[in-house]
Amino acid sequence: MFPRTARRLPTTAALLALAGSLTTGAWAAAPRDTAEPHRPARITHVPSAAGSGTPLTGYAVQSTAKVSDSAAAVSSPGYPARGWYPAGPRSTVLAALLANGVYADPFRSTNLQRIPRADFDVPWWYRSDFTVDDTSRRTSLDFSGVVSAADVYVNGRQVASAADVTGTYTHHELDITSLVGPGTNTVAFRIRPNDPHKDLTIGWLDWIQPPPDRNMGLVRDVVVRRGGPVALRDAHVVTRLAVPSLATADLTVKARARNDTDAAVTAEVRGSIGGTAFSRTVSLAAHETKTVTFSPADTPGLHLTDPKVWWPAGMGGQPLYGLDLTATVAGTVSDTAHETFGIRDVRAPLNSDGARQYRVNGRPLLIKGGGWSPDAFLRWDPAYAEDRLKYALDLGLNTLRLEGHLEPDEFFEQADRLGLLVLPGWECCGKWEGEVNGTEKGERWNAADYPVAKASMAAEAARLRGHPSVLSFLIGSDFAPDATIERNYLDALRAADWPTPVVPSASDRPSPELGASGMKMTGPYDWVPPGYWYAKREGGATGFNSETSAGPSIPTLDSLRRMMTPAELDTLWQDPDARQYHRSPSSVFGTLRIYDDALAGRYGTPTSLTDYVRKAQLAQYENVRAQFEAYGRNAGDPDRPATGVIHWMFNSGWTSLHWQLTDRYLDQNGSYFGAKKANEPLHIQYSYDNRSVVVVNNRSAAARGLTARATLFNPDGTQMYDRTATGVTVDGGGAHGATLTLPSSVAGLARTYLLRLVLTDADGTEVSRNVYWLSTRADTLDWNGTTWYHTPTTGYADLKGLASMAPVPVSATAATRSSDGTSTTTVTLRHSGSGTTPALLTDVHLVDAQGKPVLPVRWSDNEVSLWPGESVTLTATYRTAGLHGSAPGVRVSGWNTPERTVPAA
């Protein structure tokens, strides 16, 4: 992840050669800290229909240290798996044990550390039963997602060894026709322990404390496939969209027809896309495979006029097409295939400055994203995943980067529907880059690793190529592959008809064939001041920064009290040098010293946990806002423009104190609302570098007749400066325009002061408001002291004057309406004080009758600032079930606003 310089098929062997809006639908609650125990694994009934694929419904799991029986016995029907733990269909070992209540809440305190790692240094058995009625069909096991390797048995017979079934991403299809009998059948996996420094699998780097089982298990479905003599595999559609007109699109359908018998057969392959049907007769010798292709040259209906084009959210709709294929032999269905795909065009040339500039359907796009983390125990919850994806849209993000941890198919299907772009790739700092990363962790490759890596690339390319949400593939992260590894990856990608740009690395390291990456990985990963982001150097707003943020993101008090003990919370705010278990296992990121020094230096030394958290929210709001605002402003620059930024990270798979815009419980803090403010569709913002006031228009259409107003106040609310610019016009598509520039000095302005920006449309309606807390003494950066993870600050901006702001009452009235499982609470806040002091960063939390946050929730706006006499109306949309039958309440608090809760029924 970080540079440390100054930082589907007959056999595995064949594989090695081949290779909407937030209010739409229901939201799922965040997973409980430990799930309800699984019931004993149900026997999976596998139907006989040709072309069917049935996932195993679950397993019984147990350590080999506790099983003395032979593999033949364990994998035979009727084996008495007494004392084994039931597990779901996709489960690591630890996930299964947590679900069965074996260990305490791993998200709280140091409970995770207390789980014995030695329990997972031996293989574990996974055992599942399935039934079939008709043995005349051919049967195969189809799977990937083994962490890290497995011996596979069916009905007492070994069908594959761990030497072949190795690597999380390799795809395997094992023909078990001769072993399957009528009635109950058994499949068993003996899963080997995982070591991401030795295996081409999954690791956690320095993101979180790694789970003690290192995610060993089966994390994707194991599917039992049934079919006839001819199998259809690798079905996909290659799309060619006319750019820039978007008037036509050519579709080419491909699939492999495979004869699984010892005799020659003739099959008819029929297909359809929408109203276009096509067919072909294919003659296959014994065990022969042929690629069947349909193109506009032989099927005119595959030349589309006025195609339905897929767009990222905010740029257009997300229509999808479906391909259906059927192979018949002697009039009987032998196999079927279905694939969903979208039509779009992605290109990413290097601009004149060498930065990668993405264009979707011919239109340039500033990539605004975050780094995605799965659940720490790789538990797949589709509703929880969708909640997080919708949070990304709520924040105005358009991209999520997956560094390894390539999620199940449903993740990409959700991204397709929602219009979120995804930037997948291999992870750093382990075996994946062990051959090229010098002295970094990760063993160097041996001869067996090269075919595993190529097979991994082939399998993921085949799985991801049809998803219009997939923007690129990064074949390197911190380091680019060498010539041999790159050639293997590119051969696999080309064989799979990979449709989008391939990027050699997420850093600025080139690869032999692809050349320059067009990316930078210059940090920072720890605290820097807001003004840092405006410098066109290091991690500042120029080029494409693939992973960067100001590090720590302290959660809300609600989340902190849920994840840490009272003693740990005392240490959190009192001891900057304390090792924070919920930060990182890394020695670099183990404490909060850099962050805490800045917090005390700028805002004043915290006096309590509450004071620490309230100051943290201001600090995180201003910093995340500045990061996205700087990249947004610089995107249209003629000189060294910003082309992309990935906030490191978007979320955390564990309870964390850093690298997150939303926490594990889906609560929203200053980081969240700072990003939401910066990325609003039509936005007025302040530039820390040159004091300009700029309007950024992320809408498609130009905005005309705008009025921008900038007003400076002392902390007591005394107005010290006011200026208005009228007739402002800003083009759409991310364009920006400067409206006015604030003076370098204003007589009588306090050292700490407030800036209020208001943008109104031609009708006088407020369309954007943005409030900054600033200082006449700027933060001072030591650029010469820059390391791979941050740039030191030698002098802090003085924001201590905020402590002098008088307490301000903010009244709140709220009402709720509910329909079809969704509730909307409308809250009106009013500055009800009699003085001149504004209410700064007023936060509203929706709570249940016990005062617990109702999550997830989508707020129209939040953490707002109000001047005397001002009011604002906010809306919160959430699942009614999140109230657990109680009446809703609204908890209001702020920098200088006393906390109170009002009813919202």
Side-chain angles (χ1 to χ4, degrees), residues 230 232 257 265-270 280-284 326-330 334:
V230 173
L232 289 174
V265 296
T266 298
E268 183 182 21
V269 179
R270 300 192 307 270
R280 180 161 302 136
T281 298
V282 183
S283 297
L284 296 167
T326 301
T328 59
V329 176
S334 180

Side-chain angles (χ1 to χ4, degrees), residues 67-78:
V67 178
S68 59
D69 298 310
S70 67
V74 169
S75 61
S76 293

